[in-house]
Amino acid sequence: VELLGEPLVLWQDSTKQWRAALDRCPHRWAPLSEGFVDPEQKRLTCAYHGWEFEGDGRGARIQQAEGTAEETALRSRR
């Protein structure tokens, strides 16, 4: 979807709410619309590296990071 020239990705989260976000992963700007929604968690998952995002846009999981590194990255405002 495009709105005012900006590409957006739309998905339905675990509460059955429709969500919209810029169509780019903050990690490498890969199009999130090429990813998928996890069938159980209803998180938007980037196809490039598998980062997962909640309906409010917050990062939920970084598969390549573990423990403290993942926690630090997920708390980052970036």
Side-chain angles (χ1 to χ4, degrees):
V1 168
E2 193 171 297
L3 180 65
L4 300 173
E6 287 289 336
L8 302 174
V9 59
L10 301 175
W11 78 99
Q12 200 171 30
D13 69 10
S14 61
T15 64
K16 305 238 186 234
Q17 295 284 325
W18 284 100
R19 301 298 183 161
L22 288 176
D23 190 16
R24 60 179 173 244
C25 180
H27 177 229
R28 295 282 185 184
W29 286 41
L32 288 171
S33 59
E34 292 181 6
F36 61 93
V37 176
D38 177 280
E40 291 181 23
Q41 300 291 331
K42 300 294 186 192
R43 293 177 180 155
L44 180 61
T45 303
C46 177
Y48 191 67
H49 278 129
W51 286 28
E52 297 178 16
F53 301 91
E54 298 288 354
D56 62 3
R58 287 180 300 134
R61 184 165 181 247
I62 300 173
Q63 295 177 0
Q64 300 82 2
E66 295 180 9
T68 305
E70 181 180 32
E71 292 172 19
T72 300
L74 291 175
R75 281 194 312 263
S76 172
R77 291 187 326 200
R78 291 185 277 160

